[in-house]
Amino acid sequence: MSKQILEKILKKFPSDIVSSHSMFGNETVEIKKESFYKLIEFLKDSRQFEIDMLVDITCVDYPYQSNRFMMVYHLYSTTLKHRVRVKTALLEENPTIESIVPLWESANWLEREVFDMFGVIFKNHPNLKRILLYDSFKGYPLRKDYPITQRQPIVGPLN
Amino acid sequence: MVENSGNIENILGESVVLTRKDKLLNWARKWSLFQYPFVTACCGMEFMSVYGSHYDASRFGAEYPRFSPRQADLLFVVGTISHKQMPILKNVYDQMSDPKWVIAFGACASTGGFYNNYATVQGIDTVIPVDVYIPGCPPRPEAIMDAIIKLQDKIAKTKYENRESVSDLKGEENE
Ligand code: SF4
């Protein structure tokens, strides 16, 4: 089943797929940012895939690359038990991507976490503010260039 | 006048016990440690086991949790304290009324543990004073009971005049 998903995606978005691979029944597609939202929508709305769960949204920071931030979306079908991983690269100078909250409500907090930790901006997000850290926190701690010893205590010394 | 003169305890019989005021206060305090559990992380599991019937912390008069800091004597800081959490902990500590004691429970509360990063306070003693530190990740229940006993010893040795707030009061009287 999952192999077929890959084929169908390649057929549907022939020119937008950057790369794809399949391993242990786990499909991965990397797609250009422009078509990313359409792909997620396609996967969600196609009845045949029965993808009904957004497992996680995260981001990977590859420093020294112009395509610095790689967004990673994990999708899962609870009925057919297969997974699809969608990746899309964002430029360092413009880490902005379409929010998928209109498709999946649960993306709300996941996207806020990515914003909190990596500073990725989600367009059309209903409430894009920090979720784990406090508002006075400066910078994005999971970026590789955040100094590993830098602390920002609200009370107490900079221990 | 009386046959047993010279020995006041004999005069008063068994109706009165004599002691020092210090000692009496400390005795009362050390056997009624009402504690406020500030539980934030995995150490909480071990905390629960100590305060369950199996290890039975009530033997030390310290089993009764008060969930209002105003009524608590002993602040148990159990688990990792993040920088976001620290103002809340400080607020709780400030709200407790004197005399008060603090136990740092586990490696995280004592030193930050292995969380040496942007999020974690490197030991609560950077902000509030701590009386007893319990090492371990998480500590064994025996270590926790040992800490309670150590705290009791510390309380028993407290001199009434030495307590900071009391000396502050004295200063005011002298003025
Ligand atoms: S000391 Fe260990 S067990 Fe206790 S809160 Fe820290 S990590 Fe968890």
Side-chain angles (χ1 to χ4, degrees):
Chain A
M1 176 68 213
S2 41
K3 269 269 166 55
Q4 293 166 21
I5 297 186
L6 213 54
E7 281 159 21
K8 290 209 170 98
I9 294 172
L10 290 173
K11 222 164 158 192
K12 175 104 182 160
F13 302 91
S15 57
D16 299 321
I17 303 289
V18 181
S19 66
S20 70
H21 66 83
S22 164
M23 198 181 259
F24 310 123
N26 214 342
E27 269 44 57
T28 306
V29 256
E30 186 185 339
I31 189 159
K32 287 188 192 144
K33 187 176 138 185
E34 294 72 40
S35 326
F36 144 82
Y37 189 85
K38 273 188 248 143
L39 172 63
I40 301 271
E41 202 171 20
F42 169 69
L43 287 171
K44 188 187 178 210
D45 294 343
S46 302
R47 279 285 165 75
Q48 43 179 343
F49 303 147
E50 294 191 33
I51 288 176
D52 52 4
M53 185 175 172
L54 172 67
V55 180
D56 196 13
I57 300 177
T58 186
C59 180
V60 186
D61 182 2
Y62 294 104
Y64 318 118
Q65 288 183 17
S66 59
N67 275 336
R68 182 171 163 189
F69 298 104
M70 182 68 85
M71 292 297 304
V72 187
Y73 294 74
H74 294 264
L75 309 176
Y76 182 58
S77 161
T78 54
T79 47
L80 300 180
K81 317 280 183 212
H82 58 227
R83 292 170 194 276
V84 182
R85 184 189 296 131
V86 177
K87 303 211 272 184
T88 183
L90 308 180
L91 290 177
E92 173 165 19
E93 56 269 24
N94 181 27
T96 314
I97 191 167
E98 202 72 34
S99 165
I100 60 164
V101 175
L103 299 177
W104 263 294
E105 276 290 320
S106 62
N108 190 325
W109 283 13
L110 297 172
E111 288 181 350
R112 276 177 67 187
E113 188 187 358
V114 172
F115 166 72
D116 199 357
M117 295 292 150
F118 292 93
V120 173
I121 310 288
F122 292 87
K123 268 187 282 177
N124 302 328
H125 190 285
N127 181 26
L128 193 63
K129 57 178 192 188
R130 288 193 184 277
I131 184 169
L132 295 168
L133 292 166
Y134 31 100
D135 288 334
S136 58
F137 197 92
K138 299 244 166 25
Y140 302 101
L142 290 197
R143 286 190 179 187
K144 297 284 184 215
D145 53 6
Y146 185 88
I148 196 161
T149 52
Q150 185 171 322
R151 296 167 193 287
Q152 306 185 27
I154 304 175
V155 293
L158 269 173
N159 49 69
Chain B
M1 190 177 83
V2 189
E3 298 108 287
N4 294 332
S5 61
N7 189 338
I8 193 162
E9 273 171 339
N10 286 342
I11 299 170
L12 296 169
E14 288 183 351
S15 59
V16 175
V17 180
L18 290 178
T19 180
R20 291 201 327 273
K21 192 177 157 200
D22 268 6
K23 239 179 148 182
L24 177 67
L25 263 179
N26 291 341
W27 171 80
R29 281 172 177 168
K30 83 178 199 188
W31 292 110
S32 65
L33 289 167
F34 283 26
Q35 34 101 6
Y36 181 97
F38 193 90
V39 181
T40 54
C42 20
C43 270
M45 304 312 288
E46 214 62 28
F47 178 82
M48 288 171 224
S49 82
V50 183
Y51 280 82
S53 51
H54 193 90
Y55 287 97
D56 196 13
S58 57
R59 285 177 289 163
F60 310 103
E63 93 281 24
Y64 199 40
R66 304 307 327 210
F67 296 109
S68 159
R70 298 267 186 229
Q71 300 170 343
D73 310 299
L74 172 59
L75 178 60
F76 255 103
V77 184
V78 182
T80 324
I81 302 295
S82 64
H83 285 302
K84 195 178 181 181
Q85 193 73 20
M86 198 65 218
I88 303 165
L89 176 60
K90 179 151 194 318
N91 209 352
V92 167
Y93 177 79
D94 289 344
Q95 283 182 31
M96 288 168 64
S97 43
D98 242 12
K100 56 187 171 187
W101 297 276
V102 180
I103 286 186
F105 189 117
C108 284
S110 307
T111 64
F114 46 77
Y115 300 110
N116 185 1
N117 59 21
Y118 64 93
T120 308
V121 176
Q122 300 297 290
I124 55 165
D125 55 1
T126 56
V127 179
I128 61 176
V130 175
D131 292 283
V132 182
Y133 301 83
I134 313 178
C137 177
R140 295 261 328 157
E142 292 84 352
I144 296 147
M145 292 187 286
D146 188 40
I148 298 173
I149 295 167
K150 286 225 161 62
L151 183 67
Q152 287 184 328
D153 287 348
K154 182 171 177 174
I155 295 170
K157 284 188 201 124
T158 311
K159 289 245 168 30
Y160 191 54
E161 314 87 61
N162 289 352
R163 290 203 65 89
E164 232 173 71
S165 51
V166 176
S167 56
D168 287 347
L169 282 179
K170 269 189 193 156
E172 276 170 28
E173 280 166 16
N174 292 342
E175 274 167 17

